Amino acid sequence: MGTDARLAAECLRRGGLAALPTETVYGLGADATNAVAVSRIFTVKGRPADHPLIVHLADARQVRSWARQMPAYAQLLAAAFWPGPLTLILPKLPEVLDIVTGGQDTVGLRVPAHPLMHEVLEHLGRGVAAPSANRFGKVSPTAIEHVLADIGNLLGTDDYLLDGGPCAVGVESTIVDCTGSSPRLLRTGAVSVEMIEQTTGLAVLGADGRIRASGTLASHYAPTATVHIVKAEDVNSASVGAGLIASAAVRTPAGMVRLLEAADHGEYARNLYAALRRSDELGLRDVIAVLPEDAGLGSAIRDRLQRAAH
Ligand code: TXA
Ligand code: MG
């Protein structure tokens, strides 16, 4: 473990794995052109092999080494939001490894904004395949300590943990499928539907292909505690001993454990996963969560909490 981006890049070049900081969450990276290294990611994560990985790039010029084509609206999105918390799904070139794409005809690409991660990518000069650095189905890590706790014992001396401090965004990137004639939202994130529509001038479709309505997918991102979504006015009648996740406008009733008290959506997102992890550390049975408004980053927070509550 350390803060040396060059050591992390050298580790990847030799076929090792590296835990890498990004502005969204920590990733577990491998050289995306090394099938043996990439396959180890699945072992360490305990993740099914047909789940595709995001390929991280140093800059948008590298897209042409991975994608067959990029529609005009995807180019607008890349120009507006890269480097940043946005992943674009594009038709892949034939040489992109099946283990990276889950055998699909598409590849997910992202240019992350974290300066240390950028240094790694520049130094390596290749794409880095990286899912979030947690065990499959668990909450994503937003600090190197979370990575250590989840998978530290599964990494070897040839691997590297790059400490880039706490993640600035705190929830995973927005994923936009760019294989059709208009953008399709596969995962909410800090780049909101409103921002995508403004940038492209196109209506955003939901995961089902229809014009997007909020919140859809199944359980994921779940702590051990049972998460209950509660309206602000009902927090007082919730169970004693439960953890509470809400904006600062919601007071903590006597007997509840405050896990998160956010002044705004940015702070809410940044601290959300650490709060869910803390509920497990404290051995809480129940977590009460009050959702933020369904707009901007608030939509991504709602999505993750609704999944955690599923
Ligand atoms: O913010 C993030 O996106 C973080 C950081 C490390 O970049 N990464 C991340 O990776 O969240 P992961 O593997 O935990 O989630 C990636 C999601 C998965 O749900 C996967 O199914 C989807 O991206 N994905 C990747 N490639 C895809 C593709 N070709 N088609 C459809 N979905 C894809
Ligand atoms: Mg993940």
Side-chain angles (χ1 to χ4, degrees):
M1 183 156 125
T3 56
D4 191 333
R6 281 179 174 251
L7 281 182
E10 291 310 320
C11 155
L12 293 169
R13 196 188 306 283
R14 286 193 312 267
L17 300 185
L20 300 164
T22 84
E23 72 280 25
T24 57
V25 301
Y26 273 76
L28 179 65
D31 174 353
T33 63
N34 181 335
V36 176
V38 174
S39 70
R40 250 192 85 216
I41 292 177
F42 291 87
T43 311
V44 170
K45 267 194 73 96
R47 175 164 163 153
D50 59 348
H51 279 224
L53 306 177
I54 296 171
V55 176
H56 299 74
L57 306 175
D59 58 60
R61 283 170 312 202
Q62 293 182 347
V63 168
R64 68 169 81 100
S65 308
W66 297 90
R68 217 163 50 229
Q69 63 199 43
M70 192 172 186
Y73 71 82
Q75 291 178 33
L76 290 173
L77 290 173
F81 302 113
W82 281 353
L86 175 69
T87 297
L88 302 178
I89 307 296
L90 295 165
K92 77 172 186 86
L93 283 171
E95 54 268 35
V96 181
L97 297 174
D98 276 343
I99 188 144
V100 171
T101 65
Q104 303 190 61
D105 194 31
T106 55
V107 63
L109 300 175
R110 171 159 113 81
V111 177
H114 195 291
L116 273 187
M117 176 64 164
H118 183 75
E119 231 184 283
V120 172
L121 293 165
E122 283 266 282
H123 194 66
L124 181 67
R126 300 182 197 151
V128 170
S132 52
N134 51 287
R135 291 280 291 171
F136 182 67
K138 291 285 177 187
V139 176
S140 293
T142 52
I144 198 72
E145 293 76 20
H146 302 165
V147 180
L148 264 176
D150 274 14
I151 59 168
N153 60 338
L154 299 170
L155 296 175
T157 46
D158 292 338
D159 304 318
Y160 191 80
L161 291 122
L162 181 61
D163 184 0
C167 300
V169 175
V171 293
E172 301 83 352
S173 62
T174 304
I175 303 182
V176 180
D177 177 349
C178 300
T179 59
S181 52
S182 50
R184 207 155 61 92
L185 186 74
L186 300 186
R187 184 171 72 187
T188 54
V191 174
S192 66
V193 170
E194 298 85 341
M195 290 155 84
I196 297 166
E197 294 190 332
Q198 232 166 45
T199 302
T200 62
L202 297 169
V204 173
L205 306 177
D208 57 3
R210 283 187 282 173
I211 299 288
R212 195 187 121 79
S214 67
T216 36
L217 297 164
S219 170
H220 208 59
Y221 311 102
T224 305
T226 307
V227 178
H228 311 267
I229 308 287
V230 165
K231 290 200 173 77
E233 57 269 31
D234 296 333
V235 165
N236 274 312
S237 51
S239 58
V240 170
L244 177 62
I245 290 180
S247 76
V250 178
R251 301 270 204 88
T252 316
M256 284 186 90
V257 183
R258 193 65 186 241
L259 297 169
L260 181 143
E261 186 165 14
D264 53 40
H265 288 177
E267 192 181 330
Y268 203 134
R270 213 157 38 241
N271 297 329
L272 176 60
Y273 288 156
L276 291 173
R277 280 173 183 271
R278 204 166 142 241
S279 74
D280 281 348
E281 284 160 23
L282 296 173
L284 301 183
R285 251 201 10 214
D286 298 286
V287 170
I288 307 299
V290 180
L291 300 179
E293 310 88 89
D294 191 6
L297 192 52
S299 304
I301 297 166
R302 291 171 70 95
D303 169 67
R304 303 313 190 273
L305 279 169
Q306 279 160 347
R307 291 180 201 231
H310 197 83

